[in-house]
Amino acid sequence: MSVTDKPWGGRFTAENDALAEKFGASISFDQQMAYEDLQGSLAHVQMLAHTKILSAIDAKKIETGLKALMNELQAGKITFDVELEDIHMNIEMLLTQKIGPVAGKLHTARSRNDQVATDLHLYLKNRLPIIQQAIWELQAAIVKKASANVTTIMPGYTHLQHAQPISYAHYLLAYYQMFKRDAERFAFSEKHLDLSPLGAAALAGTTFPIDRKYSANLLGFSQIYQNSLDAVSDRDFVVEFLSNASILMMHLSRFCEEIVLWC
């Protein structure tokens, strides 16, 4: 793909240096959102068919192509191209190769802005239950170990000095409480992930008669953003998720270090 063929390339007349091309590409990491990009596109085209913005024939072709790509992705048969820069352009090109120019109609009533925002919401929303389940399983293991060691005595330390004798169960349950707070933080974040930005388009919505709640329901979102500017610019939920993950990792690191010391 030449630089002038790219969405942002209209003002350029020469090709990018290969190093600059690689530096500017995000496909090395945003390919992790490939499933979510397909998931969001599938809901979008189904909404376009539902509202009759696209003909049933065109929508069916696009839907069939997206489902085929999803199957290939899950089978590990898709290769991404750094020249296409990001996951969105890669999926778009793969879909075009599979079903032809009708693939371009998938962008009807949608912008890259609300597409990216939707992918991010879906990516974290899909992974939050995995993290929560892992925390609950760790808490269950801690409780089991604590139950077996209620009368096991160990030294308690303060400032690296022996302080008071304590129960090993008491020590373990301190970590249970830390992980409980971690679980609560992620649970609170869930409502900020559970918002659909799809339909906000570039920043001010679209003149097409879309049904935002319909696509939100298809994607498992309970609510839609009430303001289109906020929908495409909000990254609070990402920062919040990363903050929660950092605190969780701090607790895990501390726990692991102490396990090593006890061993």
Side-chain angles (χ1 to χ4, degrees), residues 130-223:
I130 300 171
I131 295 171
Q132 290 173 316
Q133 183 63 36
I135 293 174
W136 295 331
E137 289 176 3
L138 177 56
Q139 286 181 295
I142 288 172
V143 169
K144 183 178 179 180
K145 181 65 72 173
S147 297
N149 287 277
V150 174
T151 58
T152 303
I153 304 302
M154 63 173 278
Y157 283 80
T158 177
H159 304 288
L160 301 179
Q161 300 295 317
H162 285 180
Q164 296 166 286
I166 59 173
S167 162
Y168 184 52
H170 190 62
Y171 162 77
L172 288 172
L173 292 175
Y175 281 97
Y176 176 92
Q177 295 297 329
M178 295 180 210
F179 295 129
K180 180 174 180 286
R181 292 194 297 274
D182 292 325
E184 289 169 349
R185 272 186 284 269
F186 280 113
F188 181 78
S189 295
E190 191 169 5
K191 68 179 182 179
H192 297 150
L193 298 177
D194 199 22
L195 292 167
S196 175
L198 194 57
L203 58 89
T206 175
T207 55
F208 286 99
I210 61 172
D211 188 336
R212 293 184 63 205
K213 290 184 178 180
Y214 184 85
S215 54
N217 287 336
L218 289 176
L219 292 169
F221 290 112
S222 64
Q223 299 180 67

